[in-house]
Amino acid sequence: MALDLFSLEGSVAVVTGGSRGIGEAIAVAMADAGAAVVPVARSEDALDATVTRIRENGGEAVACVCDVTDEGDIERVFETAEAEFGPVDTLVNNAGTNPFFGDATDLDTETWEQIMDVNATGTFRCTRAFATRVAERDGEGSVTNVGSVGSVVGLPAQAPYTASKHAIAGMTKTLAADWAPDVRVNTIAPGYVVTEFTEGVRANDEIRADLLDDIPADRFAEPEEIAGTAVYLASDAAGYVTGEVHVVDGGLAAV
Ligand code: NAP
């Protein structure tokens, strides 16, 4: 049956930033599609809530506390996943941060580096650890990064975030070519999604109205509307898809 192509049955997935928002929705959707999932983040309580949700749906999951800026933590994630479920087939690099909104002349170097460290270098660290393991077992796998519409267009007042997300798009294209056909590498580029991340901009009436003016869909996305693309990109249905930056933005970047 055609839908079998989208099944993740028998696979193992690590989802960074899997404790809330988009990452939580991806972790739940991948588990619903049959994957054993290891959600990863810094806060243990929130991760446990994701694991409980997955198990209540009949899925398999084990949480692993990890800061994506810490290479020792990342090693422990893959060791935990392998010990619990076996070799990891899919890595979803979703952990991200955006503490700065303003003019770049007001941005200090430390904040720039912090954003790059989590969003771009964190994605690289996790991807390297994953791909090394896939190569050691002479296997196959897929990496799905959660970039942003800011991976393909500039976002006003978000210079460091946009730079970090463009870095992810560049990494995606090069690593996809370098590692084909063994490891597929793709990026999802969401527009504005209803999560804690966008609470500030959504709460400001003026910014909210300006943003909605630019979004043909005339609304923000729900996290579940990003998760389906993550299931697809990890599945056999996307077996010939690599190096792709897949925009899910209600038409924002199209106009
Ligand atoms: P969110 O609700 O703030 O969730 C962020 C997740 O990342 C949390 O699970 C957080 O958990 C984790 N995280 C943050 N720093 C981390 C670190 N150093 N190490 C490990 N985990 C870390 O944000 P979201 O909206 O779901 O965003 C998820 C991803 O989508 C981000 O990469 C973001 O850039 C991207 N995105 C979001 C939107 C949007 O409109 N919301 C649009 C485009 C792209 P802990 O704090 O417990 O570590």
Side-chain angles (χ1 to χ4, degrees), residues 16-24 40-44 46-47 66-69 93-98 118-119 146-150 161 165 168 188-198 223:
T16 74
S19 61
R20 61 173 190 265
I22 295 170
E24 178 184 5
V40 163
R42 293 164 303 174
S43 53
E44 192 166 16
L47 281 175
C66 162
D67 187 326
V68 298
T69 65
N93 285 307
N94 163 81
T97 189
N98 190 16
V118 175
N119 296 0
V146 178
S148 160
V149 69
Y161 180 73
K165 294 296 187 176
I168 288 174
I188 304 172
Y192 288 86
V193 184
V194 179
T195 67
E196 236 176 83
F197 205 76
T198 53

Short mmCIF file of all heavy atoms in Angstrom, two decimals, residues 16-24 40-44 46-47 66-69 93-98 118-119 146-150 161 165 168 188-198 223, ligand 1:
data_model
loop_
_atom_site.label_atom_id
_atom_site.label_comp_id
_atom_site.label_asym_id
_atom_site.label_seq_id
_atom_site.Cartn_x
_atom_site.Cartn_y
_atom_site.Cartn_z
N THR A 16 16.46 16.38 18.53
CA THR A 16 16.94 17.40 19.47
C THR A 16 15.88 18.48 19.63
O THR A 16 15.09 18.75 18.71
CB THR A 16 18.29 18.02 19.02
OG1 THR A 16 18.06 18.90 17.93
CG2 THR A 16 19.31 16.96 18.64
N GLY A 17 15.86 19.08 20.82
CA GLY A 17 14.79 20.04 21.10
C GLY A 17 13.44 19.35 21.13
O GLY A 17 12.42 19.95 20.80
N GLY A 18 13.45 18.09 21.56
CA GLY A 18 12.22 17.28 21.53
C GLY A 18 11.34 17.47 22.75
O GLY A 18 10.38 16.71 22.94
N SER A 19 11.63 18.47 23.55
CA SER A 19 10.87 18.62 24.81
C SER A 19 9.63 19.49 24.67
O SER A 19 8.75 19.46 25.53
CB SER A 19 11.78 19.20 25.89
OG SER A 19 12.24 20.48 25.52
N ARG A 20 9.58 20.32 23.64
CA ARG A 20 8.39 21.18 23.48
C ARG A 20 8.34 21.69 22.03
O ARG A 20 9.25 21.45 21.25
CB ARG A 20 8.43 22.36 24.46
CG ARG A 20 9.60 23.29 24.30
CD ARG A 20 9.47 24.53 25.19
NE ARG A 20 10.48 25.49 24.85
CZ ARG A 20 11.65 25.62 25.47
NH1 ARG A 20 11.94 24.83 26.48
NH2 ARG A 20 12.53 26.53 25.06
N GLY A 21 7.23 22.37 21.73
CA GLY A 21 7.12 23.05 20.43
C GLY A 21 7.22 22.11 19.24
O GLY A 21 6.67 21.00 19.24
N ILE A 22 7.95 22.56 18.23
CA ILE A 22 8.07 21.80 16.98
C ILE A 22 8.74 20.45 17.21
O ILE A 22 8.31 19.43 16.67
CB ILE A 22 8.86 22.63 15.94
CG1 ILE A 22 8.09 23.90 15.57
CG2 ILE A 22 9.17 21.81 14.71
CD1 ILE A 22 8.89 24.91 14.73
N GLY A 23 9.78 20.43 18.04
CA GLY A 23 10.51 19.17 18.30
C GLY A 23 9.63 18.14 18.98
O GLY A 23 9.70 16.94 18.67
N GLU A 24 8.81 18.59 19.92
CA GLU A 24 7.88 17.66 20.58
C GLU A 24 6.91 17.09 19.55
O GLU A 24 6.66 15.88 19.51
CB GLU A 24 7.11 18.37 21.70
CG GLU A 24 6.11 17.45 22.38
CD GLU A 24 5.26 18.15 23.43
OE1 GLU A 24 5.36 19.38 23.59
OE2 GLU A 24 4.48 17.45 24.10
N VAL A 40 15.57 14.81 22.94
CA VAL A 40 16.77 15.34 23.58
C VAL A 40 16.57 16.83 23.85
O VAL A 40 16.08 17.55 22.98
CB VAL A 40 17.95 15.15 22.60
CG1 VAL A 40 19.12 16.01 22.97
CG2 VAL A 40 18.35 13.69 22.49
N ALA A 41 16.91 17.28 25.06
CA ALA A 41 16.89 18.72 25.39
C ALA A 41 17.59 18.89 26.73
O ALA A 41 18.08 17.90 27.31
CB ALA A 41 15.47 19.26 25.44
N ARG A 42 17.61 20.12 27.26
CA ARG A 42 18.29 20.33 28.54
C ARG A 42 17.39 20.08 29.73
O ARG A 42 17.85 19.73 30.80
CB ARG A 42 18.86 21.76 28.60
CG ARG A 42 19.99 22.01 27.60
CD ARG A 42 20.24 23.48 27.42
NE ARG A 42 19.03 24.16 26.99
CZ ARG A 42 18.89 25.47 26.85
NH1 ARG A 42 19.91 26.26 27.11
NH2 ARG A 42 17.76 25.99 26.44
N SER A 43 16.09 20.28 29.57
CA SER A 43 15.20 20.18 30.74
C SER A 43 14.54 18.80 30.82
O SER A 43 13.74 18.42 29.96
CB SER A 43 14.14 21.26 30.70
OG SER A 43 13.49 21.24 29.46
N GLU A 44 14.89 18.08 31.88
CA GLU A 44 14.46 16.68 32.02
C GLU A 44 12.94 16.55 32.18
O GLU A 44 12.33 15.66 31.57
CB GLU A 44 15.16 16.08 33.25
CG GLU A 44 15.02 14.59 33.33
CD GLU A 44 15.99 13.97 34.32
OE1 GLU A 44 16.55 14.71 35.15
OE2 GLU A 44 16.16 12.74 34.25
N ALA A 46 10.47 18.40 31.09
CA ALA A 46 9.73 18.60 29.84
C ALA A 46 9.94 17.40 28.91
O ALA A 46 9.01 16.97 28.21
CB ALA A 46 10.18 19.89 29.16
N LEU A 47 11.15 16.84 28.91
CA LEU A 47 11.41 15.65 28.08
C LEU A 47 10.55 14.49 28.55
O LEU A 47 10.00 13.73 27.73
CB LEU A 47 12.88 15.24 28.20
CG LEU A 47 13.89 16.02 27.39
CD1 LEU A 47 15.29 15.54 27.73
CD2 LEU A 47 13.63 15.87 25.89
N CYS A 66 20.48 16.55 27.21
CA CYS A 66 21.67 16.90 26.41
C CYS A 66 21.61 18.36 26.01
O CYS A 66 20.56 18.87 25.62
CB CYS A 66 21.67 16.02 25.15
SG CYS A 66 22.71 16.60 23.81
N ASP A 67 22.75 19.01 26.13
CA ASP A 67 22.92 20.36 25.60
C ASP A 67 23.69 20.20 24.28
O ASP A 67 24.80 19.62 24.29
CB ASP A 67 23.71 21.20 26.61
CG ASP A 67 23.79 22.66 26.21
OD1 ASP A 67 23.85 22.94 24.99
OD2 ASP A 67 23.83 23.51 27.11
N VAL A 68 23.16 20.68 23.19
CA VAL A 68 23.82 20.46 21.90
C VAL A 68 25.12 21.25 21.74
O VAL A 68 25.80 21.11 20.72
CB VAL A 68 22.88 20.73 20.69
CG1 VAL A 68 21.69 19.79 20.70
CG2 VAL A 68 22.45 22.18 20.62
N THR A 69 25.46 22.06 22.74
CA THR A 69 26.77 22.72 22.72
C THR A 69 27.83 21.86 23.42
O THR A 69 28.99 22.26 23.48
CB THR A 69 26.72 24.11 23.39
OG1 THR A 69 26.43 23.95 24.78
CG2 THR A 69 25.68 25.01 22.75
N ASN A 93 17.74 17.46 13.76
CA ASN A 93 18.39 18.60 14.44
C ASN A 93 17.39 19.74 14.52
O ASN A 93 17.27 20.53 13.58
CB ASN A 93 19.61 19.05 13.64
CG ASN A 93 20.78 18.11 13.78
OD1 ASN A 93 21.19 17.78 14.89
ND2 ASN A 93 21.32 17.66 12.65
N ASN A 94 16.70 19.81 15.65
CA ASN A 94 15.65 20.82 15.79
C ASN A 94 15.95 21.86 16.88
O ASN A 94 15.39 22.95 16.87
CB ASN A 94 14.32 20.10 16.08
CG ASN A 94 13.26 21.01 16.64
OD1 ASN A 94 12.58 21.73 15.91
ND2 ASN A 94 13.12 21.01 17.97
N ALA A 95 16.86 21.53 17.83
CA ALA A 95 17.14 22.46 18.94
C ALA A 95 17.57 23.81 18.36
O ALA A 95 18.40 23.88 17.45
CB ALA A 95 18.23 21.90 19.83
N GLY A 96 17.00 24.87 18.90
CA GLY A 96 17.36 26.19 18.39
C GLY A 96 17.04 27.28 19.38
O GLY A 96 16.27 27.09 20.33
N THR A 97 17.66 28.43 19.16
CA THR A 97 17.46 29.56 20.05
C THR A 97 17.47 30.85 19.24
O THR A 97 18.07 30.91 18.16
CB THR A 97 18.56 29.58 21.15
OG1 THR A 97 18.25 30.56 22.12
CG2 THR A 97 19.94 29.87 20.57
N ASN A 98 16.82 31.88 19.76
CA ASN A 98 16.81 33.18 19.09
C ASN A 98 16.60 34.30 20.11
O ASN A 98 15.54 34.93 20.14
CB ASN A 98 15.70 33.23 18.02
CG ASN A 98 15.81 34.46 17.15
OD1 ASN A 98 16.86 35.12 17.15
ND2 ASN A 98 14.76 34.78 16.42
N VAL A 118 24.51 27.25 19.24
CA VAL A 118 23.38 26.31 19.39
C VAL A 118 22.84 25.92 18.01
O VAL A 118 22.74 24.74 17.68
CB VAL A 118 22.24 26.93 20.24
CG1 VAL A 118 21.04 26.00 20.28
CG2 VAL A 118 22.74 27.25 21.65
N ASN A 119 22.52 26.92 17.18
CA ASN A 119 21.77 26.64 15.95
C ASN A 119 22.65 25.99 14.86
O ASN A 119 22.25 24.97 14.28
CB ASN A 119 21.17 27.94 15.39
CG ASN A 119 20.14 28.55 16.32
OD1 ASN A 119 19.86 28.02 17.40
ND2 ASN A 119 19.59 29.68 15.93
N VAL A 146 15.99 21.26 11.26
CA VAL A 146 14.92 22.25 11.28
C VAL A 146 15.60 23.61 11.16
O VAL A 146 16.22 24.10 12.11
CB VAL A 146 14.04 22.15 12.53
CG1 VAL A 146 12.97 23.24 12.51
CG2 VAL A 146 13.39 20.77 12.59
N GLY A 147 15.56 24.14 9.93
CA GLY A 147 16.10 25.47 9.69
C GLY A 147 15.01 26.48 9.98
O GLY A 147 14.40 26.48 11.06
N SER A 148 14.72 27.30 9.01
CA SER A 148 13.69 28.33 9.16
C SER A 148 13.48 28.91 7.78
O SER A 148 14.33 28.77 6.89
CB SER A 148 14.22 29.43 10.09
OG SER A 148 13.49 30.62 9.93
N VAL A 149 12.35 29.61 7.61
CA VAL A 149 12.21 30.39 6.39
C VAL A 149 13.40 31.35 6.30
O VAL A 149 13.84 31.74 5.21
CB VAL A 149 10.82 31.09 6.36
CG1 VAL A 149 10.74 32.18 7.40
CG2 VAL A 149 10.51 31.61 4.99
N GLY A 150 13.99 31.65 7.48
CA GLY A 150 15.23 32.43 7.54
C GLY A 150 16.46 31.67 7.06
O GLY A 150 17.57 32.17 7.13
N TYR A 161 20.25 35.09 13.86
CA TYR A 161 19.40 33.91 13.67
C TYR A 161 19.38 33.52 12.19
O TYR A 161 19.55 32.35 11.84
CB TYR A 161 17.99 34.23 14.17
CG TYR A 161 17.00 33.11 14.04
CD1 TYR A 161 17.06 32.00 14.88
CD2 TYR A 161 15.99 33.14 13.07
CE1 TYR A 161 16.15 30.97 14.78
CE2 TYR A 161 15.07 32.11 12.96
CZ TYR A 161 15.15 31.03 13.81
OH TYR A 161 14.24 30.00 13.70
N LYS A 165 20.72 30.09 10.41
CA LYS A 165 19.82 29.21 9.66
C LYS A 165 20.25 29.07 8.20
O LYS A 165 20.02 28.04 7.57
CB LYS A 165 18.38 29.72 9.78
CG LYS A 165 17.82 29.63 11.21
CD LYS A 165 17.73 28.18 11.70
CE LYS A 165 17.02 28.07 13.05
NZ LYS A 165 16.85 26.66 13.48
N ILE A 168 22.82 26.42 8.17
CA ILE A 168 22.23 25.06 8.15
C ILE A 168 21.88 24.66 6.71
O ILE A 168 22.12 23.52 6.29
CB ILE A 168 20.99 25.02 9.08
CG1 ILE A 168 21.44 25.06 10.54
CG2 ILE A 168 20.14 23.78 8.80
CD1 ILE A 168 20.31 25.16 11.55
N ILE A 188 14.07 21.30 6.85
CA ILE A 188 12.72 21.87 6.81
C ILE A 188 12.85 23.35 7.18
O ILE A 188 13.55 23.68 8.15
CB ILE A 188 11.79 21.18 7.84
CG1 ILE A 188 11.77 19.67 7.63
CG2 ILE A 188 10.38 21.77 7.75
CD1 ILE A 188 11.02 18.92 8.73
N ALA A 189 12.20 24.20 6.42
CA ALA A 189 12.28 25.63 6.68
C ALA A 189 10.89 26.16 7.05
O ALA A 189 10.12 26.60 6.18
CB ALA A 189 12.83 26.35 5.45
N PRO A 190 10.55 26.11 8.36
CA PRO A 190 9.21 26.57 8.75
C PRO A 190 9.11 28.09 8.74
O PRO A 190 10.09 28.80 8.98
CB PRO A 190 9.07 26.07 10.20
CG PRO A 190 10.21 25.14 10.45
CD PRO A 190 11.30 25.57 9.51
N GLY A 191 7.90 28.56 8.49
CA GLY A 191 7.58 29.97 8.73
C GLY A 191 7.31 30.16 10.22
O GLY A 191 7.91 29.49 11.05
N TYR A 192 6.38 31.04 10.54
CA TYR A 192 6.09 31.32 11.96
C TYR A 192 5.13 30.29 12.54
O TYR A 192 4.07 30.04 11.98
CB TYR A 192 5.54 32.74 12.10
CG TYR A 192 6.61 33.78 11.89
CD1 TYR A 192 6.92 34.24 10.61
CD2 TYR A 192 7.36 34.27 12.96
CE1 TYR A 192 7.94 35.17 10.41
CE2 TYR A 192 8.38 35.20 12.76
CZ TYR A 192 8.66 35.64 11.48
OH TYR A 192 9.66 36.55 11.28
N VAL A 193 5.55 29.69 13.65
CA VAL A 193 4.81 28.58 14.25
C VAL A 193 4.42 28.96 15.67
O VAL A 193 5.18 29.64 16.38
CB VAL A 193 5.70 27.30 14.26
CG1 VAL A 193 4.90 26.11 14.78
CG2 VAL A 193 6.26 27.02 12.87
N VAL A 194 3.26 28.50 16.10
CA VAL A 194 2.76 28.82 17.44
C VAL A 194 3.49 27.96 18.48
O VAL A 194 3.13 26.80 18.72
CB VAL A 194 1.22 28.57 17.53
CG1 VAL A 194 0.71 28.89 18.94
CG2 VAL A 194 0.49 29.40 16.49
N THR A 195 4.57 28.52 19.04
CA THR A 195 5.34 27.86 20.10
C THR A 195 5.82 28.95 21.06
O THR A 195 5.67 30.15 20.78
CB THR A 195 6.59 27.13 19.54
OG1 THR A 195 7.50 28.12 19.07
CG2 THR A 195 6.26 26.16 18.43
N GLU A 196 6.49 28.50 22.14
CA GLU A 196 7.08 29.45 23.09
C GLU A 196 8.03 30.43 22.40
O GLU A 196 8.15 31.60 22.75
CB GLU A 196 7.90 28.64 24.11
CG GLU A 196 7.50 28.86 25.54
CD GLU A 196 8.29 27.96 26.46
OE1 GLU A 196 9.44 28.31 26.81
OE2 GLU A 196 7.76 26.89 26.82
N PHE A 197 8.72 29.91 21.39
CA PHE A 197 9.71 30.64 20.61
C PHE A 197 9.17 31.95 20.03
O PHE A 197 9.87 32.95 19.94
CB PHE A 197 10.09 29.71 19.46
CG PHE A 197 11.43 29.91 18.84
CD1 PHE A 197 12.58 29.48 19.47
CD2 PHE A 197 11.54 30.50 17.59
CE1 PHE A 197 13.81 29.61 18.87
CE2 PHE A 197 12.79 30.64 16.98
CZ PHE A 197 13.92 30.20 17.63
N THR A 198 7.91 31.93 19.60
CA THR A 198 7.32 33.10 18.93
C THR A 198 6.33 33.85 19.83
O THR A 198 5.61 34.73 19.34
CB THR A 198 6.58 32.67 17.64
OG1 THR A 198 5.65 31.64 17.97
CG2 THR A 198 7.54 32.17 16.58
N PRO A 223 2.53 23.44 15.41
CA PRO A 223 3.71 22.57 15.33
C PRO A 223 3.45 21.27 14.56
O PRO A 223 4.33 20.80 13.82
CB PRO A 223 4.01 22.26 16.81
CG PRO A 223 3.44 23.41 17.57
CD PRO A 223 2.24 23.87 16.79
P1 NAP B 1 10.91 26.20 21.44
O1 NAP B 1 9.49 25.93 21.77
O2 NAP B 1 11.63 27.30 22.12
O3 NAP B 1 11.73 24.84 21.63
C1 NAP B 1 13.13 24.83 21.50
C2 NAP B 1 13.62 23.44 21.86
O4 NAP B 1 15.04 23.42 21.74
C3 NAP B 1 13.28 23.05 23.29
O5 NAP B 1 13.04 21.67 23.34
C4 NAP B 1 14.58 23.40 24.04
O6 NAP B 1 14.66 22.63 25.23
C5 NAP B 1 15.61 22.98 22.98
N1 NAP B 1 16.91 23.60 23.14
C6 NAP B 1 17.22 24.93 23.15
N2 NAP B 1 18.54 25.09 23.34
C7 NAP B 1 19.07 23.85 23.45
C8 NAP B 1 20.38 23.36 23.67
N3 NAP B 1 21.43 24.18 23.82
N4 NAP B 1 20.57 22.02 23.73
C9 NAP B 1 19.54 21.17 23.59
N5 NAP B 1 18.27 21.57 23.38
C10 NAP B 1 18.05 22.91 23.33
O7 NAP B 1 11.08 26.49 19.89
P2 NAP B 1 10.34 25.92 18.58
O8 NAP B 1 9.52 27.02 18.03
O9 NAP B 1 9.74 24.61 18.83
O10 NAP B 1 11.62 25.83 17.63
C11 NAP B 1 12.22 24.60 17.29
C12 NAP B 1 13.11 24.84 16.09
O11 NAP B 1 12.33 25.35 15.02
C13 NAP B 1 14.23 25.85 16.31
O12 NAP B 1 15.41 25.40 15.65
C14 NAP B 1 13.71 27.11 15.65
O13 NAP B 1 14.75 27.93 15.19
C15 NAP B 1 12.93 26.50 14.51
N6 NAP B 1 11.92 27.38 13.98
C16 NAP B 1 10.90 27.83 14.76
C17 NAP B 1 9.94 28.65 14.20
C18 NAP B 1 8.77 29.18 14.99
O14 NAP B 1 8.06 30.06 14.45
N7 NAP B 1 8.49 28.70 16.19
C19 NAP B 1 10.03 29.02 12.86
C20 NAP B 1 11.09 28.55 12.10
C21 NAP B 1 12.01 27.73 12.66
P3 NAP B 1 15.52 23.09 26.52
O15 NAP B 1 15.30 24.55 26.67
O16 NAP B 1 14.97 22.27 27.64
O17 NAP B 1 16.92 22.73 26.20
#
